[in-house]
Amino acid sequence: IVDAVAISPDSTKIASASYDKTVRVWTVADTKQVAQINADAAGAVYAVTFTPNNEMLCVGGADKIVKLYNAASGAEVKKFAGHGDAVYSVAVSPDNTLVASAGADKTVKIWTVATGAEARTISGHAGWVYAVQFAPSGKFIATGDYTGEIAIWEVATGNRVFSTKVPSANNTPIGIFNLAYSHDGALLGVACANNMAYVIVVPANAR
């Protein structure tokens, strides 16, 4: 199973993350595999994204560790350890200085790329956190969890500035599996387990 894909900022490469414990990098022009990273000895790789500067891949998976790899060579650059369970989603700030990760321990963590240190843990979700994304401004992150809650948090403080919930059907939770911001940060796309997608208008004070 291929669990996640990402396109490089320069549009020349695609990275795929898989249950076979690898991340593979492919060229867009001729669809050739140019790198294979054995990213998770414990199990599936659930998340992959390129850093905005195109230099590294950020990866998360079953081993609970977030990792950065050189996008060209596949060499491991840094590890961020601290989650208590699998990491389901990763994101990198627009200025390449911070990494955000979310997972089955119901937390979101923010890490400093330069030092590898944990900058903040956000513990406000009631269910597994499947999705995390930085706002284009870099000042906020959006998260989504198994219970259907979507929240926006201020990066500098960890304070929740917005939240909403997808209504459940017959008291069955509707998981939020993916999030995507519009380029101006005014809209947030939401992919859900109820076979629906939603668009949320982000409040001005949460952009």
Side-chain angles (χ1 to χ4, degrees), residues 57-74:
L57 286 163
C58 186
V59 174
D63 68 358
K64 313 173 191 177
I65 301 172
V66 180
K67 306 180 188 81
L68 285 175
Y69 293 92
N70 183 290
S73 68

Side-chain angles (χ1 to χ4, degrees), residues 28-180:
V28 172
D30 54 15
T31 67
K32 288 184 178 179
Q33 182 179 317
V34 293
Q36 177 176 320
I37 300 168
N38 298 317
D40 196 324
V45 185
Y46 296 122
V48 63
T49 191
F50 283 88
T51 55
N53 63 9
N54 215 52
E55 294 179 358
M56 291 183 285
L57 286 163
C58 186
V59 174
D63 68 358
K64 313 173 191 177
I65 301 172
V66 180
K67 306 180 188 81
L68 285 175
Y69 293 92
N70 183 290
S73 68
E76 185 179 294
V77 176
K78 196 154 289 182
K79 289 182 179 180
F80 308 94
H83 276 285
D85 210 329
V87 176
Y88 289 142
S89 185
V90 294
V92 182
S93 62
D95 64 1
N96 303 286
T97 63
L98 299 173
V99 166
S101 55
D105 63 2
K106 304 179 185 179
T107 72
V108 178
K109 292 183 181 289
I110 299 174
W111 314 85
T112 303
V113 171
T115 64
E118 181 181 318
R120 180 163 284 103
T121 295
I122 296 170
S123 303
H125 277 285
W128 297 347
V129 189
Y130 286 127
V132 61
Q133 288 290 342
F134 275 93
S137 68
K139 297 178 181 179
F140 301 92
I141 54 170
T143 57
D145 73 14
Y146 172 77
T147 72
E149 183 183 25
I150 301 135
I152 298 177
W153 315 81
E154 187 178 31
V155 171
T157 64
N159 292 335
R160 187 196 309 250
V161 296
F162 171 83
S163 66
T164 188
K165 198 163 188 176
V166 176
S168 62
N170 301 318
N171 294 319
T172 301
I174 296 174
I176 307 300
F177 287 139
N178 209 348
L179 299 167

